[in-house]
Amino acid sequence: MEPIAHAMRKTFRYAFYCLAFAAILLVLLPGYALYWQGLLIGIVGGMINTIILFTKVWRVGQVADNPGYKPGGTGTIQRFLVAGLAGYLTVLFPNLFNLAGVLIGLFLVHGLSSFFVYRSLQ
């Protein structure tokens, strides 16, 4: 489980870099504020989804140490609810968020985590 934990640390480090970069671009390019605000909410939602997925995977990995431990599910409903909330906020407040930015932000963090987990398992 140590390679996965290391990959998650790298994922969150780069996700925070992306979050800071989007915040800086929000200040520097106010004409595209809707997109950058959507990207910010998407990255935050993606980070929450990644935290949920990592904790569930970690619990499943505990079965190797303790065979009597019964893990729960994979947190699919919680992750759908977080993504749905981000999408709902985008539809509810179209003057604040752009749907394209939210979707890119949601998938950006998962793309980072997939990349780092794949590299850690090689």
Side-chain angles (χ1 to χ4, degrees):
M1 291 302 292
E2 187 60 35
I4 302 244
H6 181 67
M8 285 300 114
R9 281 193 294 271
K10 283 181 108 172
T11 298
F12 284 112
R13 181 182 318 138
Y14 285 103
F16 278 118
Y17 290 157
C18 291
L19 193 66
F21 186 66
I24 290 169
L25 287 175
L26 175 64
V27 173
L28 294 177
L29 300 171
Y32 298 100
L34 289 177
Y35 175 76
W36 299 121
Q37 290 168 348
L39 190 65
L40 288 172
I41 196 171
I43 290 173
V44 169
M47 290 172 66
I48 292 170
N49 279 344
T50 304
I51 289 170
I52 292 170
L53 182 63
F54 174 66
T55 56
K56 298 293 184 169
V57 168
W58 189 265
R59 288 181 188 165
V60 168
Q62 296 301 316
V63 174
D65 295 335
N66 184 6
Y69 180 75
K70 185 177 189 252
T74 58
T76 303
I77 299 294
Q78 293 95 340
R79 291 185 285 132
F80 280 153
L81 288 174
V82 169
L85 178 64
Y88 179 70
L89 287 175
T90 303
V91 172
L92 190 62
F93 301 111
N95 56 344
L96 293 178
F97 306 114
N98 185 356
L99 184 61
V102 172
L103 293 176
I104 289 171
L106 283 170
F107 290 116
L108 178 71
V109 180
H110 288 295
L112 285 172
S113 66
S114 298
F115 175 72
F116 288 124
V117 168
Y118 176 73
R119 286 195 53 199
S120 70
L121 295 177
Q122 286 185 344

